[in-house]
Amino acid sequence: MRLPTLRQLQYFMAVADTLSFSRAAETCHITQPSLSLALNELEDLLGEKLFHRGTRKIELSEVGKDLIPLARSIIEQSENLVRMATRHRAPLTAQLSLGIIPTIAPYLLPHLLPALQSSYPSLDLQLKEDITSRQLDALKAGQIDVVLMALPFDTPQMEQMMLWKEPFFLARTGDQKSATAEVTLDDLKNETILLLDDGHCLRDHILSACRLAASSANRKTLGATSLQTLIQMVQNGYGSTLLPAMAIDPHQMPKGITIQRFTNPQPTRQIGLVWRKDDPRVAEFRLLGEFIAKTRH
Amino acid sequence: MRLPTLRQLQYFMAVADTLSFSRAAETCHITQPSLSLALNELEDLLGEKLFHRGTRKIELSEVGKDLIPLARSIIEQSENLVRMATRHRAPLTAQLSLGIIPTIAPYLLPHLLPALQSSYPSLDLQLKEDITSRQLDALKAGQIDVVLMALPFDTPQMEQMMLWKEPFFLARTGDQKSATAEVTLDDLKNETILLLDDGHCLRDHILSACRLAASSANRKTLGATSLQTLIQMVQNGYGSTLLPAMAIDPHQMPKGITIQRFTNPQPTRQIGLVWRKDDPRVAEFRLLGEFIAKTRH
DNA sequence: ATTATTTATAGTTTTTACCTATAAATGTCA
DNA sequence: TGACATTTATAGGTAAAAACTATAAATAAT
């Protein structure tokens, strides 16, 4: 039996996704005529049209709708076959692309990268810093392999590995008076709480950890996309904020800021590693997770 | 991510099956150097050797063993994708290859083929007559689509459709004395029962239907591979045999043979259609089954 | 009618896949 | 041990497939 090529199936998927030959050709890095020809060949092979072509709009035929899920699954499994081949090598010695969210990256990477480099010198790590939702999109599309992010977060078709839990601290304007000063969640009612831009999960985690309404009067969303900026806003008296433990360096506390511990139950966020459920490199990912947890300081 | 081609996976499977590059090349209808190159490319892509090559013997590497099942499944699913495309067409209008066992074919086909031709004129039917075990091998290998055979029979990974049950009759030497003469299974103890060659399921079905031991003294296995030959043996006085109902034409009874009905419970065999569980054309196969059952006379 | 947008077709070039011929490796047998 | 048989690897050439550029054709929007 004559089989289609995987490339044809990829083109088929791309057109189904974009509903346009030209745009599909772009995402496949070929020209539109090439893609047109390839798809015609596939349709000839199957003996059925996969798309109804109007000059200005394309839509999936019945047969096309029927075949798309299987085509997807065949491509995914082929990708997994390639990934599987690395499974018998020593773990963490090949390519690996890791996504990290911006509220973790600057605090963890300075410790993590040298440690990884010395323990796994032949690991070829590719880093990508972005907000959680875009990391998960990239993960699903197979553009990255694992994401280091804050949980809980709904991650369909992904496997989560919880690494550790870390408390939030309250950061207020003013110099540190007493290292032992504690504060309760109720005290926040009288504070202006500064938050990161929408899209940053830290924002949501702080809101839910403190049971604050997203629209309550005493919180301010900033254009700030980094915690560093946020801290400077606090220093300059614009309000207070909650900082995750890893963002606080006890040896180098910034001037003009008071850090206060919360009384129990402390608000916390969890740090975890996430990967595709069907990725065959689970063992390698777990090892990475353990390594990150071990070397986080 | 760079993917292997389906062709490379097929070559990989062929070598894993034959454990020889040369023989694999033959089954793939290419030359050995081409296959060698293709496999080297695949190994380069995966970054792992799939086989340990001695000059005189080849064996799967650990990675190879690991990847073979997935490679198989990817190829199978690709085949199913092609089959699936026919599902939206009018059923029984495309190619279909049907296996039939020798104890059914000559009695059923004369009725079936003209009927199929007139009801489904554009059906392109490919027939293959062979014994059950080889039909099932061909079915599993995807060389044929459905098999019309006698049940019960263990058919792993296949779906069975029971069509009808038919009784066996006793065929004895001598002219027909009375059309209503009946016989019991116990009467067989005094008969020499002639059987078809080993491999024919009719043989096993008769033995089990009559609860005869395969090695009992009063049965004879003949080199005969067709029921016609067997009937002639009976005519010439070599013994008796059991004939399935479809082998008996009441209008044209051969000379020198007595056909006798068994008393209840009659020994019977079942006729059924069998196909691969994962074949997407179930609906089409069921339709064919119903058609065969309807037009069996 | 003119323009812009999109897919299809034609002709050319590049890449891939395959073939033949032959080398290299090694087990077999005189 | 040396000649032979068997099997995979390599080299070089050829044919087929897949890509590109240029352009046509169709039609929706202006």
Side-chain angles (χ1 to χ4, degrees):
Chain A
M1 174 189 284
R2 194 170 164 70
L3 295 183
T5 67
L6 288 181
R7 207 171 305 192
Q8 286 170 334
L9 296 186
Q10 286 179 310
Y11 296 166
F12 172 37
M13 273 175 49
V15 177
D17 285 341
T18 59
L19 291 180
S20 149
F21 279 51
S22 333
R23 263 170 292 151
E26 234 173 281
T27 65
C28 295
H29 307 108
I30 55 168
T31 57
Q32 168 268 316
S34 301
L35 184 132
S36 261
L37 282 189
L39 265 181
N40 282 335
E41 255 175 48
L42 178 58
E43 288 177 327
D44 282 355
L45 179 94
L46 298 175
E48 294 284 336
K49 288 285 168 198
L50 296 170
F51 299 96
H52 296 304
R53 296 150 165 86
T55 9
R56 215 155 188 88
K57 77 158 174 269
I58 299 281
E59 59 180 7
L60 273 170
S61 70
E62 283 304 305
V63 183
K65 277 184 210 151
D66 216 40
L67 297 189
I68 268 292
L70 185 52
R72 276 222 155 71
S73 133
I74 290 171
I75 296 293
E76 274 166 26
Q77 289 182 51
S78 306
E79 290 171 346
N80 277 342
L81 185 127
V82 178
R83 293 184 185 119
M84 236 182 209
T86 69
R87 215 169 34 176
H88 289 265
R89 288 208 272 272
L92 300 177
T93 55
Q95 292 184 334
L96 192 75
S97 66
L98 170 66
I100 310 193
I101 57 172
T103 57
I104 299 182
Y107 308 107
L108 201 74
L109 291 185
H111 305 288
L112 180 63
L113 289 185
L116 267 178
Q117 173 62 23
S118 86
S119 292
Y120 301 101
S122 54
L123 173 65
D124 178 9
L125 193 68
Q126 197 84 27
L127 288 171
K128 186 196 164 199
E129 185 177 322
D130 209 333
I131 59 172
T132 309
S133 63
R134 276 198 289 265
Q135 295 284 11
L136 290 176
D137 287 347
L139 188 58
K140 197 150 77 182
Q143 293 156 0
I144 54 176
D145 301 313
V146 270
V147 179
L148 185 65
M149 51 177 276
L151 305 173
F153 203 99
D154 186 39
T155 56
Q157 295 150 43
M158 304 295 159
E159 190 169 335
Q160 298 187 347
M161 177 183 187
M162 241 287 281
L163 298 183
W164 69 81
K165 205 183 262 197
E166 58 170 9
F168 286 110
F169 291 84
L170 181 62
R172 268 184 169 143
T173 312
D175 282 309
Q176 192 83 10
K177 294 155 197 160
S178 151
T180 55
E182 290 201 347
V183 67
T184 68
L185 284 172
D186 280 344
D187 297 336
L188 297 182
K189 291 198 174 120
N190 308 318
E191 298 276 342
T192 303
I193 301 293
L194 307 177
L195 297 170
L196 276 182
D197 217 13
D198 205 358
H200 286 266
C201 62
L202 182 62
R203 176 196 158 94
D204 305 316
H205 283 136
I206 288 177
L207 289 173
S208 85
C210 306
R211 289 166 214 97
L212 287 173
S215 58
S216 108
N218 63 344
R219 64 104 188 111
K220 263 193 202 149
T221 298
L222 295 170
T225 55
S226 91
L227 278 183
Q228 288 308 326
T229 324
L230 204 62
I231 290 172
Q232 285 173 356
M233 304 292 288
V234 174
Q235 283 177 304
N236 291 320
Y238 290 96
S240 307
T241 195
L242 269 70
L243 292 178
M246 67 167 67
I248 295 165
D249 183 348
H251 303 296
Q252 196 186 337
M253 202 63 85
K255 281 272 170 197
I257 273 199
T258 316
I259 301 296
Q260 282 177 291
R261 207 170 174 281
F262 281 94
T263 54
N264 284 327
Q266 286 185 300
T268 59
R269 73 170 181 179
Q270 299 176 354
I271 304 300
L273 210 53
V274 176
W275 56 84
R276 284 181 301 276
K277 248 200 208 89
D278 62 3
D279 196 305
R281 293 166 295 179
V282 200
E284 193 170 14
F285 296 157
R286 293 207 168 275
L287 181 64
L288 177 66
E290 277 157 31
F291 188 90
I292 295 176
K294 208 170 55 193
T295 61
R296 67 174 153 131
H297 302 297
Chain B
M1 176 188 285
R2 193 170 165 71
L3 295 184
T5 67
L6 288 182
R7 207 170 305 189
Q8 286 169 334
L9 296 187
Q10 285 178 311
Y11 296 167
F12 171 36
M13 274 175 50
V15 176
D17 285 342
T18 59
L19 291 181
S20 149
F21 278 52
S22 332
R23 263 170 292 150
E26 235 173 279
T27 64
C28 294
H29 307 106
I30 57 169
T31 58
Q32 168 267 316
S34 301
L35 184 132
S36 261
L37 282 189
L39 264 182
N40 282 335
E41 255 175 48
L42 178 58
E43 289 178 327
D44 282 355
L45 180 91
L46 298 176
E48 296 283 334
K49 289 285 167 200
L50 295 170
F51 299 97
H52 297 304
R53 294 147 164 89
T55 6
R56 213 155 191 87
K57 76 158 175 270
I58 298 282
E59 60 180 5
L60 273 170
S61 69
E62 283 302 306
V63 182
K65 278 184 210 150
D66 214 42
L67 297 189
I68 268 292
L70 186 51
R72 276 222 155 71
S73 131
I74 290 171
I75 297 294
E76 275 167 26
Q77 289 183 51
S78 306
E79 289 170 348
N80 276 344
L81 184 127
V82 177
R83 295 187 183 115
M84 235 183 209
T86 70
R87 217 170 32 180
H88 288 265
R89 289 208 271 271
L92 299 177
T93 55
Q95 292 184 335
L96 193 74
S97 66
L98 170 66
I100 310 193
I101 58 172
T103 56
I104 298 182
Y107 308 107
L108 200 73
L109 290 185
H111 305 289
L112 180 63
L113 290 185
L116 265 178
Q117 173 62 24
S118 88
S119 291
Y120 301 101
S122 54
L123 174 64
D124 176 9
L125 193 67
Q126 197 85 28
L127 289 171
K128 186 197 164 196
E129 185 177 320
D130 208 333
I131 58 172
T132 310
S133 62
R134 276 198 288 266
Q135 295 283 12
L136 290 177
D137 286 346
L139 187 57
K140 198 151 75 178
Q143 291 154 5
I144 54 176
D145 300 316
V146 268
V147 179
L148 186 64
M149 51 177 274
L151 305 173
F153 202 99
D154 185 39
T155 55
Q157 295 151 44
M158 304 294 159
E159 190 168 336
Q160 296 188 348
M161 177 183 188
M162 242 287 279
L163 297 182
W164 69 82
K165 208 183 261 196
E166 59 170 9
F168 287 111
F169 291 85
L170 182 62
R172 271 184 168 143
T173 311
D175 281 311
Q176 192 81 14
K177 295 154 198 161
S178 150
T180 56
E182 290 201 348
V183 67
T184 68
L185 283 174
D186 280 342
D187 297 335
L188 296 184
K189 291 201 175 119
N190 309 317
E191 297 277 342
T192 302
I193 302 292
L194 306 176
L195 295 170
L196 276 183
D197 216 15
D198 203 2
H200 286 267
C201 62
L202 183 60
R203 174 195 160 94
D204 305 316
H205 284 136
I206 288 177
L207 289 173
S208 86
C210 307
R211 289 168 216 94
L212 287 174
S215 58
S216 111
N218 63 345
R219 63 104 188 111
K220 266 195 202 145
T221 299
L222 296 171
T225 55
S226 91
L227 278 183
Q228 287 308 325
T229 325
L230 204 61
I231 290 173
Q232 285 174 356
M233 304 294 289
V234 174
Q235 283 176 303
N236 292 320
Y238 290 96
S240 307
T241 195
L242 271 70
L243 293 178
M246 66 167 68
I248 295 163
D249 182 349
H251 304 297
Q252 192 186 337
M253 204 60 86
K255 282 273 171 193
I257 273 200
T258 317
I259 300 297
Q260 285 178 289
R261 208 171 174 281
F262 284 94
T263 55
N264 285 330
Q266 287 185 298
T268 59
R269 72 169 181 179
Q270 300 176 354
I271 305 299
L273 210 53
V274 176
W275 58 82
R276 284 180 300 277
K277 245 197 209 96
D278 62 2
D279 197 305
R281 293 165 297 179
V282 200
E284 192 169 16
F285 297 155
R286 294 207 168 276
L287 181 64
L288 176 67
E290 278 158 30
F291 188 89
I292 294 175
K294 208 169 56 196
T295 61
R296 67 175 154 132
H297 303 295

